[in-house]
Amino acid sequence: MYQSQHFDKYNLINGVWDEMYNQNSIVRDHYQKVIEYLANESPDDLNKKEELAKRLFMTQGITFTVYNSGEGIEKIFPFDIIPRIITAAEWAFVEKGIKQRLTALNLFLKDIYHNQFIIKDGIVPIDIIYSCPHFLREMYQLDVPYDVYVHIAGIDLIRDHDGTFYVLEDNLRTPSGVSYMLENREITKRLFPDLLPNCNVRSVTEYPSILYKNLLSLSPRQISNPTIVLLSPGIYNSAYFEHTTLARLMGVELVEGRDLVVNNHKVYMKTTTGLQQIDVIYRRVDDEFLDPLVFNPNSVLGVAGLMGAYRKGNVAIVNAIGNGVADDKATYIYVPDMIKYYLNEEPILKNVPTHRLSDPDEREHVFKNINTMVVKKTNGSGGYGMLMGHASTEEEIEDYKAEILKAPRDFIAQPTISLSAAPCYIGGVLQPRRIDLRPYALCGPDGIEIVPGGLTRVALTEGSLVVNSSQGGGSKDTWVLS
């Protein structure tokens, strides 16, 4: 263990991969410079840095919304000042694995909405696809530009007790959190200005320009300056801060459904000088609210007639509509098979072993071992509606089993994976807390680009495995070394 007052209370968690220390309690090489820097800082200095970070988050309005807390609407996003560090070799492995996975998922979406070879060949069961609420018949036989369905993906990764990376879930619809990755880096630059260049940390600030370049390339009109907009559900959405940030950084208009109108199968934006035709919509509105004429008729967030303009090819929508069938947690089980089927390769990144509760034998196995399982809804997100077997009472487990039996297709179960731990500055000392990682991949006509970093989410409560911000989690800056 490192000798300094900050490290006195750093107790390695048994059976958990620690990002900073190896199993012999020796600091890993890539953390060495950061640890030496921290050892020379007094607790007072670090407390001041923590206070400055909180002030910057507050003054810049870096917030998110919790819908079910019954408190005020917006909360500051908890930020831990100690960065999570990833070596160049680890990152090269992760990057290769994500590119492989995303290539297969794009091919799957094209196939499932066209010839459905993967169903005919018996790789993915037909009932998994047709029972998925996000499989949209409106997308059947609809060609999308360059056959790219997933333009922006957030792939959630965790590390098991031996340091192996696993994919926990794929976010292929409207993945959020990238603005926090960008803001975390800006704040770290203020807190540790000398440390970033000394450690050769790779930059993440190119994300908005890569995204903007990809959006430009999708324009159906061959003109020099296509009109791109970011379609937001509005100020009450939990990720509204992110919508404003990305629109500002890309220099595009931030619009809501009421700002747009469809005329003659073309989408227009209302401006003070009249209607302006739109070429590309980066939408942060879910599928079912996009077009009240086709999906939810009560939606006021979308644009009537948008789907007609999309089918005609007069507007590009990012991400494509209907991607939910590929990131449904029941489909997740078959992603390794998709990689073998479409690419004829072995998966680089492993899946967490997953049980389908619609299968009676698997369901029986899960019910017998539910204390060691995490049970999730196949279409849940944000950590809501999840059962952590080891932390639940008998009564909660019985109630949850009854819910499962009503609709077994809607649930999957996974063994409790320990999640790796990283140092966090809590209460004036460094303490280990559980983390995951969400890198963001951008897919365009020229291939897949992944900015070196991502959002590291932290379970700030001691002993907790739930990292979602909606459940009391926070985040930290992610350093990828060059």
Side-chain angles (χ1 to χ4, degrees):
M1 281 282 183
Y2 213 89
Q3 293 310 305
S4 162
Q5 53 196 339
H6 307 310
F7 301 86
D8 293 345
K9 299 211 174 124
Y10 197 91
N11 300 316
L12 294 175
I13 306 169
N14 203 18
V16 169
W17 178 269
D18 194 276
E19 300 285 344
M20 179 168 72
Y21 286 113
N22 65 18
Q23 56 272 47
N24 302 323
S25 300
I26 297 167
V27 173
R28 299 184 193 278
D29 290 346
H30 54 287
Y31 265 92
Q32 202 70 45
K33 285 183 180 173
V34 171
I35 296 310
E36 284 168 10
Y37 177 90
L38 293 174
N40 293 325
E41 295 278 288
S42 69
D44 202 33
D45 290 337
L46 289 180
N47 289 339
K48 279 179 185 161
K49 286 187 190 298
E50 191 180 35
E51 199 48 52
L52 173 62
K54 278 182 188 158
R55 264 206 322 277
L56 290 169
F57 267 77
M58 205 61 178
T59 52
Q60 292 175 26
I62 304 171
T63 58
F64 68 100
T65 308
V66 175
Y67 291 120
N68 65 352
S69 66
E71 300 170 25
I73 178 167
E74 291 198 348
K75 288 190 170 185
I76 197 170
F77 198 57
F79 173 72
D80 179 63
I81 61 172
I82 311 297
R84 184 249 181 99
I85 306 175
I86 298 172
T87 64
E90 285 171 341
W91 181 253
F93 174 78
V94 164
E95 189 174 39
K96 198 174 168 192
I98 290 175
K99 285 181 177 177
Q100 179 197 53
R101 195 174 178 95
L102 209 46
T103 304
L105 285 165
N106 258 320
L107 289 167
F108 169 73
L109 282 162
K110 187 192 177 189
D111 185 16
I112 220 71
Y113 284 122
H114 287 81
N115 299 313
Q116 302 193 334
F117 291 127
I118 198 163
I119 293 176
K120 291 167 187 167
D121 290 338
I123 308 294
V124 176
I126 190 166
D127 59 311
I128 287 285
I129 303 302
Y130 283 99
S131 62
C132 176
H134 302 291
F135 175 70
L136 301 179
R137 284 158 183 78
E138 293 81 3
M139 285 296 291
Y140 190 66
Q141 297 295 0
L142 194 157
D143 295 324
V144 300
Y146 304 103
D147 291 335
V148 175
Y149 284 79
V150 185
H151 306 89
I152 303 154
I155 308 291
D156 290 347
L157 303 175
I158 56 174
R159 294 184 92 166
D160 201 1
H161 59 89
D162 56 359
T164 309
F165 281 102
Y166 286 89
V167 176
L168 188 60
E169 61 183 55
D170 306 290
N171 298 282
L172 311 177
R173 284 174 264 180
T174 53
S176 63
V178 76
S179 62
Y180 304 120
M181 169 187 88
L182 298 169
E183 293 296 345
N184 286 355
R185 178 56 54 87
E186 290 308 310
I187 287 188
T188 306
K189 285 177 185 171
R190 296 278 298 272
L191 301 179
F192 307 113
D194 302 334
L195 207 47
L196 283 149
N198 286 348
C199 294
N200 288 334
V201 179
R202 293 175 66 184
S203 164
V204 294
T205 47
E206 301 79 18
Y207 179 90
S209 54
I210 298 171
L211 175 57
Y212 183 68
K213 177 195 76 180
N214 286 355
L215 294 177
L216 279 177
S217 68
L218 297 172
S219 170
R221 290 191 296 169
Q222 300 304 311
I223 53 175
S224 59
N225 56 341
T227 305
I228 300 170
V229 296
L230 193 155
L231 175 63
S232 167
I235 60 168
Y236 297 109
N237 185 267
S238 61
Y240 187 68
F241 166 77
E242 177 156 312
H243 307 165
T244 58
T245 303
L246 287 175
R248 175 172 54 81
L249 292 173
M250 290 192 290
V252 303
E253 295 287 346
L254 179 66
V255 298
E256 295 178 29
R258 60 190 173 183
D259 301 319
L260 305 181
V261 62
V262 174
N263 184 19
N264 197 18
H265 295 302
K266 290 176 181 164
V267 185
Y268 295 92
M269 171 171 61
K270 300 170 190 170
T271 74
T272 50
T273 55
L275 296 179
Q276 180 180 346
Q277 189 178 341
I278 287 175
D279 300 291
V280 183
I281 298 175
Y282 172 26
R283 51 84 177 225
R284 297 298 293 259
V285 175
D286 292 339
D287 290 350
E288 57 265 41
F289 301 109
L290 269 178
D291 185 344
L293 298 182
V294 178
F295 305 117
N296 183 343
N298 300 320
S299 169
V300 291
L301 302 177
V303 189
L306 180 59
M307 197 65 197
Y310 186 47
R311 284 199 82 94
K312 286 272 188 194
N314 290 333
V315 69
I317 297 179
V318 171
N319 280 340
I321 297 168
N323 282 4
V325 68
D327 71 5
D328 183 288
K329 291 183 182 70
T331 313
Y332 160 90
I333 298 169
Y334 298 97
V335 177
D337 298 328
M338 290 175 203
I339 292 169
K340 291 172 191 165
Y341 179 75
Y342 292 120
L343 307 178
N344 200 20
E345 295 171 3
E346 283 299 314
I348 295 167
L349 291 169
K350 295 181 183 178
N351 264 19
V352 176
T354 305
H355 303 280
R356 271 176 64 193
L357 297 190
S358 52
D359 181 310
D361 295 341
E362 295 205 33
R363 189 165 66 244
E364 189 184 344
H365 169 76
V366 168
F367 280 7
K368 274 184 188 162
N369 301 285
I370 202 155
N371 291 330
T372 61
M373 296 281 179
V374 178
V375 188
K376 303 174 183 176
K377 291 187 171 172
T378 52
N379 292 304
S381 64
Y384 295 110
M386 195 165 71
L387 178 87
M388 307 284 278
H390 68 282
S392 302
T393 63
E394 283 298 319
E395 191 184 349
E396 285 169 340
I397 288 172
E398 289 308 316
D399 289 348
Y400 208 86
K401 281 183 182 175
E403 282 296 311
I404 292 169
L405 291 170
K406 285 180 198 166
R409 155 66 175 86
D410 295 347
F411 295 88
I412 53 121
Q414 296 171 329
T416 308
I417 293 246
S418 59
L419 264 69
S420 62
C424 295
Y425 189 68
I426 296 170
V429 288
L430 289 184
Q431 299 180 32
R433 290 289 185 270
R434 307 303 184 77
I435 55 167
D436 77 350
L437 174 65
R438 180 180 289 183
Y440 293 91
L442 294 170
C443 193
D446 303 328
I448 299 168
E449 294 181 72
I450 306 169
V451 289
L455 183 67
T456 292
R457 299 182 298 175
V458 190
L460 291 170
T461 312
E462 191 167 0
S464 170
L465 293 173
V466 183
V467 297
N468 306 76
S469 54
S470 49
Q471 310 292 320
S475 76
K476 49 168 68 221
D477 193 13
T478 309
W479 292 7
V480 174
L481 307 184
S482 57

